[in-house]
Amino acid sequence: MNTTWKSSLVSHYSSSSVLGENDGCEIAKAFAGTDSEYKAVRNSVAISDNCHYGKFRVSGSDAMDLMNRVVMADVGRLAIGRATWTFMLREDGSTMCDVYVVCAGDEYLLFSEGTTPAEVLAALVAESASRSVKVEDLTTNVALIGLDGPFAWELLKELVGVRMLGLRYLEFLENQPLGDGNAYVIRAGKSGEFGYQVMVPNDQAGAVWAQLLEAGQDFDIQPAGYETMNLCRLENRFINMHCEGTATRNTLELNCRVMIDREKDDFIGYEAITEALEGDVENRIIGLSIEGGMNDTPSLGAEVSAEGEVFGRIVNVAFSPALGKPIALALVASDVAYVGLDFQVQLANGSRDATSVSAPFIFNNSLTVRPQEDSYRNR
């Protein structure tokens, strides 16, 4: 086993360095782009460092009221022990970031991705002024370690017990023994496989990372970097706030209408969203399956056309190892944002045929795994 993985992460957390920009921190990028990382996510277990997330705690008698104001989902419907995935918007309806909101009884945890923690904190503090609430920025105090893969559940089961088998998507367990202390284990991920976020104090992150790597040897665990995890996210159409998220002017352009609760009428950006719902959204995101091999992968910004007319541009793209062809997301005119249409995508040396497809792009291996019966050891 390459001990650099362990020593790099221990050094990273012992120095308490935290992402200052919104494109991923260096330790998260350090493992990016290898075939073994991708295979681990899709076939066994991958471990990743989510140090680029903002992490916050909101508590007090008005905590639910504040959370409902700053996120698009209705937090009032969130049961204790459950989480939800939603967005924080700006007043103009554009997407600030995507967030996990965790209901821990008398307090909420919020994990943000897509903008700097400072912008999220500013929004929380601004809304806390007239409320009985306490906002804590945990970004430099706690770490989030991701585990993804068809057998991520089995690795965690061996470390924290059989309760992992009953943990449903967007549920969490607290006070689970890991490393030198206790951890939150949240079933949440964006790879399409079994995914978990392990939250531990910053000073325990190195020990937990080392423990997971050691126990994960039986599962052929691999550290996976930012680039690999974003590829897996694209294959499953989880929104990437650093690509298509920044390319849109209104959250509805992300084709996320299903995430809007029409009964909730007071959140930042509500008026802009309502206006868009009642009118016409000019552009929408669609998925494209592109004919060709790795060398036929278009660039970001490449034109998408049909019968000689340009309808939009590529806003996220990668070569999919699972499909053996390039896949992309394109922001196109709403009147052609439908599944099953034929397009051409411009490359430097010509154009390639493409077809609009529904989400996700691939069939995940985790869908064939039965945690009550299967094991990586006898697969």
Side-chain angles (χ1 to χ4, degrees), residues 2 21 53 73 78 83 112 125 133 196 233 238 271 276 331 347 359:
N2 186 344
E21 301 297 329
Y53 276 72
L78 194 59
S112 64
V125 171
V133 69
Y196 303 87
R233 181 201 308 245
F238 277 95
E271 293 183 0
L331 183 65
L347 273 66

Side-chain angles (χ1 to χ4, degrees), residues 100-116:
Y100 287 114
V101 178
V102 180
C103 179
D106 57 354
E107 64 182 27
Y108 293 87
L109 298 174
L110 185 148
F111 306 127
S112 64
E113 185 179 19
T115 189
T116 61

Side-chain angles (χ1 to χ4, degrees), residues 174-195:
E174 55 183 333
N175 297 322
Q176 301 303 299
L178 280 174
D180 301 323
N182 293 323
Y184 265 79
V185 180
I186 307 162
R187 185 174 170 189
K190 299 173 181 177
S191 69
E193 308 294 348
F194 283 103

Side-chain angles (χ1 to χ4, degrees), residues 44 51 62 78 147 163 169 183 245 257 287-288 313 320 332 338:
S44 56
C51 56
D62 292 334
L78 194 59
L147 290 172
R163 291 183 65 191
Y169 184 59
R257 188 182 297 255
L288 293 178
R313 58 189 176 90
S320 168
V332 301
Y338 296 97

